[in-house]
Amino acid sequence: ETGVTQSPTHLIKTRGQQVTLRCSSQSGHNTVSWYQQALGQGPQFIFQYYREEENGRGNFPPRFSGLQFPNYSSELNVNALELDDSALYLCASSPRGEDSYNEQFFGPGTRLTVL
Amino acid sequence: AKTTQPISMDSYEGQEVNITCSHNNIATNDYITWYQQFPSQGPRFIIQGYKTKVTNEVASLFIPADRKSSTLSLPRVSLSDTAVYYCLVGEGTGTASKLTFGTGTRLQVTL
């Protein structure tokens, strides 16, 4: 069974640029969540996708957007990068259940540095 | 739900460690989950509960009746348990999932 994978591992961008981060969910999981984790902080919820539709969103501006594909893999896009966007971006997949919140399986993250 | 935790804790190997998370604004259908995170890795699931007590092979989770806090109990810690521990509060059902991690507790285990 393949776990959650993310690419790239590290990325360096400059202010104003755009970035796309990718995530492959664990086999059998149809829900993907994205988090931003600044150095020394806890992960902050960006949004969640369930069956290709956004299923909830945290307090992030619209320049943070995402997609989920039919195979349940996902992308996180960030436009007009700012210095404060420098962080570890975590993707987590889970099997969506109807009556309970499910355990999330996290990938290793993508370290984004904005200069 | 805003969640707060002690910043750090120290323990000796073999001791029981209890880490508390405060979530005063928890909603009726929010679950409470605890994760462990090592440096440069994604968080790893430890345990989850809704009310009272839950136990698995690595930890116990205690949730009082008012659900405004929860306590993760690690029975006999080892050096490899040195990590950051997060509680996560999130909606159990519905479409508006908002998942809130706590501030994290850095546990240092020594001999």
Side-chain angles (χ1 to χ4, degrees):
Chain A
E1 183 179 271
T2 305
V4 179
T5 60
Q6 293 185 243
S7 62
T9 306
H10 296 87
L11 199 55
I12 299 175
K13 292 284 190 177
T14 56
R15 271 187 310 176
Q17 284 189 312
Q18 179 266 342
V19 68
T20 297
L21 310 181
R22 295 177 175 83
C23 171
S24 291
S25 60
Q26 186 161 318
S27 176
H29 290 184
N30 56 20
T31 302
V32 172
S33 302
W34 285 91
Y35 295 84
Q36 179 194 67
Q37 186 173 26
L39 202 60
Q41 305 292 318
Q44 299 295 311
F45 175 66
I46 303 175
F47 43 56
Q48 183 182 85
Y49 278 83
Y50 169 60
R51 290 186 176 178
E52 303 178 57
E53 296 204 359
E54 189 176 289
N55 185 51
R57 190 178 181 92
N59 297 322
F60 281 82
R63 59 190 185 86
F64 285 79
S65 64
L67 283 173
Q68 187 179 32
F69 301 99
N71 67 354
Y72 303 130
S73 65
S74 178
E75 286 183 355
L76 165 65
N77 299 290
V78 187
N79 294 322
L81 284 167
E82 301 177 359
L83 297 179
D84 285 348
D85 295 334
S86 294
L88 180 68
Y89 287 85
L90 295 163
C91 166
S93 74
S94 57
R96 172 82 177 206
E98 292 301 321
D99 299 318
S100 66
Y101 164 74
N102 288 290
E103 173 185 350
Q104 296 184 82
F105 293 78
F106 283 81
T110 294
R111 173 72 61 189
L112 172 65
T113 302
V114 182
L115 302 175
Chain B
K2 183 176 181 182
T3 56
T4 56
Q5 302 174 230
I7 294 174
S8 64
M9 297 182 71
D10 295 314
S11 178
Y12 292 109
E13 200 173 40
Q15 287 189 324
E16 178 184 76
V17 170
N18 296 308
I19 305 173
T20 297
C21 176
S22 172
H23 27 78
N24 291 323
N25 296 323
I26 190 169
T28 303
N29 59 352
D30 279 356
Y31 279 75
I32 301 152
T33 312
W34 283 81
Y35 285 84
Q36 176 193 55
Q37 188 176 29
F38 297 109
S40 302
Q41 294 185 22
R44 188 177 71 172
F45 174 89
I46 301 173
I47 197 167
Q48 179 185 89
Y50 182 76
K51 61 181 180 180
T52 63
K53 177 183 175 182
V54 179
T55 298
N56 62 20
E57 62 275 10
V58 298
S60 294
L61 178 59
F62 298 92
I63 304 169
D66 65 7
R67 304 198 332 118
K68 292 184 182 299
S69 67
S70 59
T71 299
L72 171 72
S73 180
L74 304 173
R76 286 173 300 279
V77 296
S78 64
L79 296 177
S80 62
D81 293 319
T82 295
V84 180
Y85 292 81
Y86 293 98
C87 61
L88 170 66
V89 178
E91 292 190 24
T93 59
T95 60
S97 302
K98 285 201 173 183
L99 304 165
T100 306
F101 272 90
T103 48
T105 299
R106 186 172 302 276
L107 173 64
Q108 179 68 52
V109 181
T110 56
L111 291 173

